[in-house]
Amino acid sequence: MEQRQLGKQGLVVSAIGLGCMGMSEFYGTADEKESVATIHQALDAGVSLLDTADMYGPFKNEELVAKAIRGRRDTVVLATKFGIVRTGDASFRGVNGRPAYVKSACDASLHRLGVDHIDLYYQHRVDPDVPIEETVGAMAELVTAGKVRYLGLSEAGPQTIRRAHAVHPISALQTEYSLWSREPEAQILPALRELGIGLVPYSPLGRGFLTGHFKRYEDLAADDYRRHSPRFQGENFAKNLELVERVKQMAAGKGVTAGQLALAWVLAQGKDIVPIPGTTRRSHLEQNIAAVDLNITPSDLSDIAAVMPPGAASGMRYPEEMMRMVNL
């Protein structure tokens, strides 16, 4: 497995990671046995970066990952997040970046994960009511205490990233980035490269839409979060499906799937980029990993960009209330 470096502080991970969120929530009924088997297969294939968060489940996803990595901790680069507050009944309680909460959240994650340190600790969303310097200052204290190795931010805007990095080096920024979410190219990616920060794209397959798996809105399970996503609704769904069909045609010409071509495109955007496609099945995992070795030419990149230029996707990537929480 190809290795890539995130940031300048020494964090090295597999070129592709595994997003574990869907194994516990949001994308329909979960299968814990298959999820654990998928994580094991990922590790066997050389995938080292596993991504989770305290709010997934809530709390259950960290416990699932803990079960899967037991006895294999030395092969895992473990990433988790804090900041989106949820209670045991799954209610959302807002965003919290206060220093005391940062430390208590870290201790709770360490306990659930069954480890003595977290390799990459992200602030899941920026708290607009707490100066980023205070939040990152508390995160830096976790590094000093040996509880965390490297720091990350998620869905932070360029100025916030700069302010955070001035307090303590940030190794990675996590944000949505894919063929149909190319917004980071305008300001975020240039700022990351100026500062020497790696990019970890989540949903590099457009929440599964770019695989071509979905044909109708009704293909989504009744409890699937994506039913609330503007890009999966009404006319947006139909227009986005047309885009994906064009990607599928290009992929077929190379003898690969649409999802593999979409992932290969993300991987080709720079060696400082490590996508974390999520999956709950081993068969899908195999397809995703194969994208790392896909030969994608400059001509391919130009052709794909012509099909999916920035802003091509129809609809916002989140409902309006959730969009207010990104790029702060």
Side-chain angles (χ1 to χ4, degrees):
M1 172 66 73
E2 176 192 341
Q3 302 296 298
R4 295 187 172 187
Q5 183 168 318
L6 292 174
K8 297 181 177 180
Q9 293 72 50
L11 178 57
V12 177
V13 301
S14 52
I16 192 170
L18 176 61
C20 300
M21 179 188 77
M23 296 176 177
S24 299
E25 194 179 17
F26 299 114
Y27 291 162
T29 304
D31 181 337
E32 180 175 304
K33 183 177 179 180
E34 178 65 17
S35 294
V36 170
T38 299
I39 293 174
H40 286 169
Q41 184 162 313
L43 298 178
D44 291 341
V47 173
S48 61
L49 180 61
L50 300 182
D51 185 87
T52 182
D54 58 3
M55 64 86 70
Y56 300 158
F59 316 126
K60 295 177 182 177
N61 197 241
E62 288 185 327
E63 294 169 352
L64 171 68
V65 170
K67 181 177 180 179
I69 68 173
R70 193 170 297 133
R72 307 186 66 164
R73 178 67 177 97
D74 60 345
T75 67
V76 175
V77 177
L78 187 56
T80 192
K81 314 176 199 72
F82 74 90
I84 299 179
V85 184
R86 297 179 72 188
T87 56
D89 64 358
S91 298
F92 286 88
R93 300 295 185 185
V95 176
N96 192 338
R98 292 190 293 273
Y101 179 78
V102 174
K103 296 174 182 178
S104 64
C106 179
D107 287 342
S109 286
L110 288 169
H111 177 72
R112 284 189 292 267
L113 290 164
V115 298
D116 63 2
H117 71 276
I118 295 164
D119 296 304
L120 177 57
Y121 200 41
Y122 292 99
Q123 181 183 20
H124 207 159
R125 291 292 186 273
V126 175
D127 185 342
D129 297 323
V130 178
I132 192 64
E133 291 82 1
E134 293 184 15
T135 302
V136 175
M139 295 169 72
E141 291 180 20
L142 296 173
V143 176
T144 301
K147 296 181 179 181
V148 170
R149 294 178 63 213
Y150 302 98
L151 301 186
L153 301 175
S154 179
E155 291 289 9
Q159 295 309 312
T160 299
I161 296 168
R162 293 179 190 279
R163 289 168 55 194
H165 193 67
V167 175
H168 186 281
I170 302 298
S171 296
L173 174 84
Q174 189 170 134
T175 191
E176 185 171 356
Y177 183 48
S178 69
L179 273 175
W180 78 347
S181 292
R182 297 183 58 179
E183 296 85 356
E185 295 173 354
Q187 297 183 17
I188 291 176
L189 197 49
L192 296 182
R193 287 176 169 159
E194 176 190 334
L195 299 170
I197 300 172
L199 176 65
V200 178
Y202 70 83
S203 296
L205 294 173
R207 295 181 174 81
F209 203 107
L210 296 175
T211 66
H213 174 71
F214 300 107
K215 303 298 183 184
R216 305 174 305 148
Y217 174 80
E218 291 74 20
D219 291 337
L220 298 166
D223 58 347
D224 194 311
Y225 148 79
R226 288 169 290 195
R227 281 178 171 259
H228 305 286
S229 172
R231 291 185 177 177
F232 283 80
Q233 297 175 337
E235 292 184 5
N236 291 339
F237 189 105
K239 291 178 180 178
N240 291 329
L241 193 59
E242 292 178 6
L243 294 174
V244 173
E245 287 300 319
R246 295 172 67 184
V247 175
K248 286 177 66 176
Q249 293 173 10
M250 296 176 63
K254 294 184 71 66
V256 299
T257 68
Q260 287 173 323
L261 189 62
L263 267 180
W265 179 88
V266 174
L267 287 159
Q269 301 311 301
K271 297 294 186 180
D272 54 351
I273 296 177
V274 178
I276 50 169
T279 185
T280 59
R281 299 185 182 278
R282 284 169 283 181
S283 58
H284 296 163
L285 174 73
E286 291 176 0
Q287 293 181 22
N288 291 344
I289 291 174
V292 176
D293 298 319
L294 179 60
N295 180 29
I296 187 166
T297 67
S299 178
D300 292 330
L301 292 174
S302 296
D303 292 342
I304 296 169
V307 171
M308 285 273 204
S314 182
M316 295 186 297
R317 60 190 179 100
Y318 280 124
E320 188 173 348
E321 64 273 15
M322 294 180 69
M323 285 299 297
R324 289 196 287 266
M325 297 171 63
V326 304
N327 295 330
L328 296 182

